[in-house]
Amino acid sequence: MSVTYPDSRGRFGEYGGQFVPETLMAPLKEIDESLQAAMEDPSFIEAYHQALKDYSGRPTSFTYADQLSEYLGGAKIYLKREDLNHTGAHKLNNALGQALLAKRMGKEKIIAETGAGQHGVASATVAAKLGLESKVFMGEKDIERQQLNVFRMKLLGAEVIPVSSGNKTLKDATNEAIRFWVANCEDHYYLIGSVVGPHPYPKMVRDFQRVIGDETKDQILAEQGSLPNRIYACVGGGSNAIGMFYPFLEDEVELVGVEAAGKGVDTPEHAATITKGSDGIIHGSKTYLMQDEHGQITEPYSISAGLDYPGIGPEHAYLHASKRVRYESVTDDEALDALQLLSRKEGIIPAIESAHALAQAFKEVKDMDANQSIVINVSGRGDKDMSTIMNVLQEGE
Amino acid sequence: MSKSTVQTSFEQRLQKEKDLFIPFIMSGDPSPAATVELALTLQESGADILELGVPYSDPLADGPTIQEAAGRALQHGMNLKESIELVPKMRSKGLEIPVVLFTYYNPVLQYGLEQLFQDLREHDIDALLVPDIPLEESVELKEYAHEFGVELISLVAPNSEARIRKIAEQATGFLYCVSSLGVTGERKELSQDISSFLEKVKSYSSVPVAVGFGISTNEQVHLMKQYSDGVIIGSKIIKVINGYHDELVSESARPSALKKVKQEIVELVQ
């Protein structure tokens, strides 16, 4: 395919780049060079795909949501089932790829940041499988909110490091992971969880997640002999969305990224970075972010911890600026409604993150024709969200 | 950027090129008025260049001490504009040494590059240091710096390797050498092989070469001065200042607190 960005400086148009302290330039270069060599090495690619198949259970299913399509009317609804991946979300695709790279680079220790704990669990999982030592940085506030995932990580042998700086959430965990990495880059590999951070991370994570879109393309062509009219995916940092969208960028398919509007984009409590944010630098990359007039980064809010991030991957900023992808936002309430609808009509309980993509699709699908089709990426399963959902729904009763 | 024959304000204000003491303080910590007085106290304590920090919500290159200082300053509503406006107040009270404004890049982007350099010039600020801009991303800043006669201070690290020469040859003002990998903050021991790194940097640099990150004892100050043209001290100074937090905030108790700060700083660097 002819989409060859980012350029050698890691720029997607004006976004991306390497806005990092000088001390990080050497480790980033080491990763960039190792990644290029690995991606050109057939044995590395084979090992990655083999692990996806044997360990994670790929390819993931592609489900025609017949009950739901009939109920809502309009276009046919297909679901890409990333919830069926080992550990319950798309996160493992990337964690496996990067851990294999770390091992190839001779690094025996990995570090990772986590918000809700999904990427932390994926990292701890691959570290266990590949015999690597793992440290997961997690904000103290998130540790309190996600005790089950903290326990899962510990069970998998990871060390969970509580972060007490800043607001004690994902943004701060990421800062702290980067700070630790600067001091320990000689023997540690930083396994970042989304298409964010300095070059080459956004490109690397995309390339390890594009398997979602590649499979989807084969599956829909096998199913109906033509591409879908639209594809929906939720966007926090944006790794499941980029993974899904990237193989379709040059096709005539409308791509829709769905952000978290929290309690509403007109309230201070949301995480709708593209809808409400502006250009700036976060975690080493130029992109859209949520900030005040003085350039201080502000704290996002969403019921879904996986979308609760004040920035967005630089490639999304570029795809928004170039108008290739349409970005919408969905509130907590709308996402919860969609989550319940999918549960009842299809017997699939999605993650609250994924429910954002579902909610936007459900709003739009009714206005489409019966001979049209859409794909929604169900990026993860809802098991991790049971207590959150239970609390909200019982309150409402 | 080659040195022009016209001296920059930084060069005019810098009194010597060796044995430099470069302290770092955070604007607004513990209060804006105290920051102005602390600048003068540091000059009296022998500071040759003042590094004035602008608080930022996400200071990636800083350890806990400077993060906390930034947090305190942000709570007082300090920002880039108000930081800049502190300097004329320092000057009117007799601050003569060059001032380097230290700020992360995101506040600069929101402020606007041209506006920033214009304001630095108008407020008698001689240099700018942006810790999250490596050489590759610095082209635009360099152009403005040159246009407005403001020095852009670069950092170089022990792992910069092949980049050391490039960074050192292009350095203006002074060159900030990171003593060891990691973030700012005190260290018990500084790297043993720092002398060969500093030798290499000095061989390519036409400006003074100063060492920072982790310097917190009189012994370390003397050791680092043997290998370099000066020392940059941040976290340790913030800690000394924070030891007198309440007194420095109070206008009546401030003069005696400043005396005690001066005594501790002199003991640290003399």
Side-chain angles (χ1 to χ4, degrees):
Chain A
M1 88 191 283
S2 65
V3 181
T4 54
Y5 58 76
D7 65 16
S8 61
R9 291 168 58 224
R11 293 293 190 120
F12 303 87
E14 65 169 305
Y15 299 104
Q18 292 179 314
F19 296 89
V20 294
E22 174 61 26
T23 40
L24 272 184
M25 292 304 281
L28 288 174
K29 185 169 177 237
E30 187 192 0
I31 292 177
D32 196 18
E33 288 171 357
S34 307
L35 175 69
Q36 278 182 37
M39 289 307 217
E40 285 165 14
D41 178 354
S43 69
F44 177 82
I45 302 292
E46 199 191 316
Y48 164 66
H49 283 287
Q50 199 68 40
L52 287 180
K53 177 170 173 283
D54 297 341
Y55 188 62
S56 194
R58 300 202 73 96
T60 55
S61 304
F62 191 68
T63 305
Y64 173 46
D66 55 344
Q67 299 292 320
L68 194 63
S69 299
E70 194 181 322
Y71 174 77
L72 290 171
K76 284 200 211 72
I77 300 171
Y78 291 96
L79 306 172
K80 177 59 175 167
R81 304 288 308 282
E82 290 303 297
D83 57 315
L84 297 177
N85 254 317
H86 180 38
T87 74
H90 71 291
K91 292 285 182 190
L92 199 76
N93 305 332
N94 167 53
L96 262 177
Q98 285 198 59
L100 286 168
L101 179 69
K103 202 152 182 178
R104 186 186 157 100
M105 289 168 70
K107 311 274 181 189
E108 285 170 4
K109 299 172 182 175
I110 60 162
I111 52 175
E113 81 294 337
T114 199
Q118 289 309 103
H119 174 59
V121 167
S123 298
T125 299
V126 296
K129 176 67 179 166
L130 297 179
L132 302 167
E133 197 184 303
S134 64
K135 284 191 177 64
V136 180
F137 290 82
M138 189 169 186
E140 282 180 347
K141 209 182 274 175
D142 289 333
I143 287 181
E144 232 180 84
R145 292 193 284 200
Q146 303 286 340
Q147 286 181 12
L148 203 59
N149 269 344
V150 174
F151 183 71
R152 282 170 88 191
M153 286 184 266
K154 288 181 177 166
L155 197 60
L156 290 159
E159 184 189 350
V160 178
I161 300 179
V163 173
S164 60
S165 61
N167 292 301
K168 306 177 175 73
T169 60
L170 176 58
K171 166 175 85 84
D172 312 291
T174 308
N175 287 338
E176 217 47 50
I178 295 174
R179 289 183 186 119
F180 180 89
W181 189 41
V182 174
N184 299 282
C185 54
E186 273 166 27
D187 57 347
H188 284 72
Y189 177 92
Y190 178 26
L191 206 167
I192 209 164
S194 190
V195 284
V196 300
H199 177 69
Y201 282 107
K203 169 192 156 62
M204 169 162 58
V205 177
R206 173 194 76 195
D207 291 345
F208 287 136
Q209 289 291 4
R210 66 170 292 172
V211 64
I212 304 172
D214 285 332
E215 284 177 10
T216 300
K217 206 174 211 179
D218 290 346
Q219 289 165 322
I220 187 107
L221 287 174
E223 180 79 23
Q224 63 176 29
S226 63
L227 294 177
N229 298 84
R230 278 183 210 163
I231 302 179
Y232 294 85
C234 65
V235 181
S239 68
N240 89 78
I242 281 288
M244 174 57 99
F245 294 164
Y246 187 65
F248 291 94
L249 285 179
E250 299 204 323
D251 297 316
E252 276 190 36
V253 176
E254 190 182 6
L255 304 171
V256 186
V258 186
E259 299 188 303
K263 295 182 178 168
V265 290
D266 297 323
T267 73
E269 292 180 89
H270 64 79
T273 312
I274 283 202
T275 312
K276 299 292 274 192
S278 54
D279 280 13
I281 308 287
I282 183 169
H283 297 137
S285 189
K286 185 169 185 193
T287 185
Y288 280 69
L289 62 130
M290 291 167 54
Q291 56 188 327
D292 70 14
E293 58 185 308
H294 302 298
Q296 308 291 347
I297 299 174
T298 55
E299 191 67 7
Y301 163 80
S302 165
I303 189 174
S304 128
L307 304 182
D308 198 353
Y309 182 69
I312 187 167
E315 189 165 0
H316 283 291
Y318 173 72
L319 292 171
H320 170 68
S322 65
K323 298 192 162 65
R324 175 62 189 93
V325 176
R326 171 161 64 91
Y327 292 87
E328 304 285 353
S329 64
V330 152
T331 63
D332 289 355
D333 292 345
E334 292 171 320
L336 282 175
D337 287 347
L339 182 147
Q340 292 173 77
L341 188 62
L342 188 73
S343 302
R344 287 181 193 168
K345 292 290 172 196
E346 296 292 335
I348 298 169
I349 302 176
I352 305 185
E353 288 80 6
S354 319
H356 286 70
L358 293 160
Q360 185 64 30
F362 296 171
K363 279 193 228 174
E364 296 180 4
V365 71
K366 300 167 194 163
D367 299 327
M368 297 176 74
D369 296 333
N371 60 359
Q372 292 185 305
S373 61
I374 66 169
V375 176
I376 308 166
N377 194 25
V378 182
S379 55
R381 66 178 184 226
D383 305 39
K384 70 181 173 61
D385 299 318
M386 281 308 110
S387 68
T388 307
I389 299 166
M390 217 164 73
N391 288 340
V392 176
L393 296 186
Q394 284 174 349
E395 243 171 58
E397 271 170 15
Chain B
M1 214 117 339
S2 63
K3 271 194 166 179
S4 61
T5 45
V6 184
Q7 275 202 321
T8 62
S9 67
F10 184 91
E11 289 164 336
Q12 286 166 11
R13 287 196 171 107
L14 189 63
Q15 294 300 307
K16 56 187 200 306
E17 296 211 324
K18 285 222 172 303
D19 198 29
L20 300 173
F21 165 40
I22 309 173
F24 170 95
I25 52 174
M26 180 62 74
S27 305
D29 176 42
S31 76
T35 301
V36 172
E37 297 299 331
L38 283 164
L40 293 154
T41 299
L42 287 164
Q43 179 173 264
E44 286 168 27
S45 313
D48 299 290
I49 298 168
L50 176 71
E51 217 183 291
L52 183 63
V54 177
Y56 183 50
S57 56
D58 293 77
L60 263 191
D62 286 305
T65 305
I66 295 182
Q67 285 174 42
E68 285 160 18
R72 289 191 294 268
L74 285 173
Q75 278 184 351
H76 301 150
M78 185 48 62
N79 56 49
L80 179 51
K81 189 171 170 41
E82 288 185 28
S83 258
I84 291 170
E85 286 170 358
L86 291 177
V87 179
K89 292 177 189 156
M90 297 170 182
R91 296 281 184 216
S92 72
K93 293 193 168 195
L95 188 78
E96 288 172 352
I97 57 176
V99 174
V100 179
L101 194 78
F102 175 107
T103 174
Y104 284 85
Y105 196 43
N106 198 49
V108 171
L109 279 180
Q110 300 316 307
Y111 200 91
L113 262 60
E114 186 164 5
Q115 184 69 49
L116 175 68
F117 279 94
Q118 208 170 323
D119 286 356
L120 292 177
R121 221 20 318 147
E122 283 173 11
H123 291 75
D124 277 333
I125 297 171
D126 311 284
L128 179 70
L129 195 167
V130 185
D132 53 349
I133 289 282
L135 187 70
E136 287 77 357
E137 303 283 2
S138 68
V139 179
E140 216 181 345
L141 278 174
K142 275 192 170 153
E143 284 171 6
Y144 280 113
H146 190 65
E147 185 187 335
F148 285 89
V150 170
E151 309 282 22
L152 192 67
I153 308 298
S154 304
L155 284 103
V156 64
N159 65 354
S160 297
E161 292 165 15
R163 302 154 50 81
I164 291 178
R165 180 173 184 169
K166 224 176 175 179
I167 295 169
E169 282 180 350
Q170 296 183 28
T172 60
F174 70 89
L175 185 52
Y176 191 136
C177 293
V178 175
S179 68
S180 49
L181 300 184
V183 293
T184 57
E186 297 171 38
R187 289 163 173 64
K188 276 204 190 90
E189 282 175 31
L190 292 169
S191 160
Q192 293 299 311
D193 48 7
I194 192 164
S195 61
S196 62
F197 161 58
L198 291 173
E199 278 306 314
K200 194 172 177 187
V201 174
K202 282 173 82 170
S203 72
Y204 297 122
S205 172
S206 60
V207 295
V209 168
V211 189
F213 280 40
I215 301 176
S216 58
T217 66
N218 184 260
E219 197 189 346
Q220 289 171 333
V221 168
H222 285 285
L223 185 68
M224 287 302 128
K225 279 189 176 173
Q226 282 176 30
Y227 303 129
S228 69
D229 302 318
V231 292
I232 303 149
I233 310 180
S235 297
K236 176 67 188 177
I237 288 182
I238 300 279
K239 274 201 174 160
V240 169
I241 292 171
N242 203 36
Y244 302 100
H245 182 278
D246 295 350
E247 291 158 85
L248 286 167
V249 172
S250 143
E251 212 170 317
S252 59
R254 193 177 300 143
S256 73
L258 289 168
K259 267 185 203 154
K260 290 179 219 160
V261 169
K262 182 179 170 183
Q263 195 182 340
E264 286 199 41
I265 303 285
V266 169
E267 279 168 18
L268 176 66
V269 296
Q270 76 180 0

